Amino acid sequence: MKPIIDTFNRRFRVAGQLQFADNGNGLPVAEIQTAQASARVALQGAQVLAWQPAGHKPVIWLSQAAVFEPGQAVRGGVPVCWPWFGARDGLPAHGFVRTRLWELREASMDAANQLVLRLGLGDDESTRTLWDYAFDLELVVTVGASLTMALMTRNTGEEPFTITQALHSYFCVGNIGQTAVQGLEGTDYLDKVQNFALTGQTGAVEFTGETDRIYINTTADCRIEDRVWQRTLRVAKTGSTSTVVWNPWREREQALPDMAAGEYQGMLCVETCNAGPDQITVAPGCAHTLSACISVA
Ligand code: TA6
């Protein structure tokens, strides 16, 4: 066993419910198995890789072609996009925290027998070269019959900063063509596939081709209705007024080396965000929390 994995097991193992393993290339992963659910959380990126509540099919999707390499983004799970969402000239897409090793600050069982992991990341010389601010970022992952992720941004510096961000959740669906997202009816979105044209949503979101949209001014819960698996996933949120819905479809998928052929049919991203015009300014000494709570309805 690699020394770093050994250290995590000595410090944080919860007998029979939480242990640490090497996810390949020395990357530590928390493996959770409780009466309520199983889950896997990578310390690189503080990225939930899997969550399956007892008695249900897997909820969080992970590509079969995902690559687990230090410093490389992983296709699937719940990447944390921060301190910017999307592309930025000459800088890593979706920010820089999804490819960094976070520290594990605490692992415990709560009063409801849910397993709670608290992961953190602060600024250092290398983050300063990409984004010159002092910060402390914390993600609390609560694994139970629902999955909650709360991302707290604290400004530890002396000047305000502005962020965009996402809990970029990938979900398993039976078939994307027989899936609908409810909760965004009547909401405007920026359509990335149409050069960010502002468009109004009528009815549920249905999928017949590449879909990449930033829904704005929305605090609504979303319901992913899966007609093949006959289940509804609920995504509730706080601290967010935008939601991104993404499926790459056939052609965009082919441009993604870390997706296997045809996988787009079994996945869908419904992302809890502050994205597009939804930007958060955090004053010195202040904090902002973005959270998503996922459940099977
Ligand atoms: O959230 C949707 C999106 O921004 C898409 O435009 C798509 O590129 C996707 O994220 C994945 O981004 P990634 O950098 O992980 O390949």
Side-chain angles (χ1 to χ4, degrees), residues 28-107:
V29 172
E31 297 185 333
I32 296 158
Q33 179 68 65
T34 71
Q36 298 178 28
S38 62
R40 301 175 73 235
V41 182
L43 269 60
Q44 174 166 288
Q47 186 164 350
V48 173
L49 299 175
W51 173 64
Q52 180 171 11
H56 295 283
K57 284 186 163 54
V59 171
I60 298 295
W61 180 88
L62 180 67
S63 172
Q64 288 167 19
V67 175
F68 298 98
E69 291 283 353
Q72 205 164 313
V74 172
R75 178 71 57 206
V78 187
V80 176
C81 305
W82 191 98
W84 57 83
F85 175 85
R88 189 169 272 201
D89 267 353
L91 292 168
H94 288 320
F96 51 81
V97 303
R98 65 174 173 166
T99 53
R100 263 158 214 268
L101 197 62
W102 291 45
E103 61 174 309
L104 183 57
R105 295 182 175 169
E106 193 185 336

Side-chain angles (χ1 to χ4, degrees), residues 82-83 131 153 161-165 274 278-282 288:
W82 191 98
W131 194 67
T153 299
F161 59 61
T162 298
I163 57 166
T164 51
Q165 58 182 341
N274 300 108
D278 174 16
Q279 308 190 347
I280 301 292
T281 297
V282 186
H288 173 269

